[in-house]
Amino acid sequence: MTAGNHSTVTEFILEGLTDKPEFQLPLFLFFLRVYVITLVGNLGMITLIVLSSHLHTPMYYFLSSLSFIDLCYSTVITPKMLVNFVTEKNTISYPECMTQFYFFIFFIVSECHMLGVMAYDRYVAICNPFLYNATMSCQVCSRLVGEVYMMGLISATVNTGCMLRVVFCKAKIISLYFCDVFPLLELSCSSTYINVVVVFCFSAFNTLAPTLIVLGSYASIIASILRISSTEGRSKAFRTCSSHILAVTIFYGSAAFTYLQPSNVSSMDQSKVSSVFYTIIVPMLSPLIYSLRNKDVKVALNKIIEKRLFCINKDL
């Protein structure tokens, strides 16, 4: 499907984070460092889970999928933003913009549902520990992950299909550093009613469904923890889900701050800052949260390091 059939605009100009030249290099270096940490952290988490046999459990299977999603949706946005920091004209072609839009929707929706699946996994582990292996079998885990990606695929396909119907013939400056739905719709000179309805319906479902799963799961988890008589038992049960609680809070909190601000109190600068946190900082934080706050991950990492050091010393 070509751009010319639907729009007189063949490329867009990304407004970016700032138009001040003195900030371009410092911001480039900062976000380059963030992206490198994101790559190393998420790739490291995936590699560690693959190499460590005692991490081959449903919880870490879901965690590796979450790391893959974080890695991908950061890669969809950050490299283009880094290029724009060092070029004079921050342009993005119509096909490239639609492609970025598609994959951003795909991975961000997948992340929403993956966090819900991980909450359900913690609910089963704490509230029904004796049935955990049967309930969270390999087939069930694979099906849950498949459904997560299916939700992302459906949302991305429908939203992008609707966006391809929009005619862009007004100003072509996107008031952000990537192709997001509302900055794009602001440039339309055709009706966006269908787009707004579709965005509302999918946003409501993709936010409400995982949120209800998370809230329901943790309400049951908290009730189950409170019934544990020993302090040590309660502490151990809480530690198994504390990292996920923190990750959910950061992700949904930053997303809500980005998209749920009243228009009369939000400014473009506030929107850009909250979008940066939501799209770039959060993918960097997730592997740090799960590695720094997880004893099993630390043990697995130490074992791999010791094994590599032993092999090196043996060769010497």
Side-chain angles (χ1 to χ4, degrees), residues 107-117 206-207 210 251-252 278:
F107 287 114
I108 214 69
V109 170
S110 297
E111 174 124 350
C112 288
H113 289 280
M114 184 60 69
L115 289 172
V117 167
N206 291 320
T207 303
F251 179 80
Y252 283 109
Y278 172 55

Side-chain angles (χ1 to χ4, degrees), residues 136-273:
M136 303 303 293
S137 64
C138 292
Q139 292 82 1
V140 171
C141 292
S142 298
R143 188 171 68 248
L144 288 173
V145 171
E147 290 174 356
V148 163
Y149 289 124
M150 184 58 65
M151 291 296 101
L153 180 65
I154 294 171
S155 298
T157 301
V158 174
N159 278 278
T160 306
C162 291
M163 189 63 72
L164 289 171
R165 297 176 61 257
V166 174
V167 177
F168 299 101
C169 57
K170 293 182 180 180
K172 58 181 182 180
I173 299 177
I174 298 175
S175 57
L176 204 58
Y177 53 92
F178 71 102
C179 296
D180 200 3
V181 56
F182 292 116
L184 281 171
L185 293 180
E186 289 175 359
L187 306 181
S188 171
C189 59
S190 61
S191 174
T192 60
Y193 176 77
I194 294 178
N195 296 74
V196 173
V197 171
V198 168
V199 169
F200 175 79
C201 292
F202 275 91
S203 297
F205 174 77
N206 291 320
T207 303
L208 187 61
T211 300
L212 290 176
I213 293 173
V214 170
L215 292 178
S217 296
Y218 279 108
S220 299
I221 287 171
I222 291 172
S224 180
I225 290 175
L226 293 177
R227 288 196 296 268
I228 299 175
S229 58
S230 68
T231 303
E232 183 181 352
R234 287 196 297 268
S235 177
K236 183 178 179 180
F238 180 76
R239 283 198 304 271
T240 64
C241 56
S242 59
S243 296
H244 183 255
I245 292 174
L246 183 58
V248 166
T249 302
I250 292 173
F251 179 80
Y252 283 109
S254 59
F257 187 78
T258 300
Y259 292 105
L260 300 181
Q261 294 183 85
S263 57
N264 60 333
V265 300
S266 63
S267 69
M268 186 56 63
D269 289 339
Q270 286 178 324
S271 178
K272 288 180 180 180
V273 171

Side-chain angles (χ1 to χ4, degrees), residues 271-288:
S271 178
K272 288 180 180 180
V273 171
S274 57
S275 294
V276 165
F277 194 84
Y278 172 55
T279 59
I280 298 174
I281 303 300
V282 168
M284 177 192 70
L285 293 177
S286 290
L288 297 178

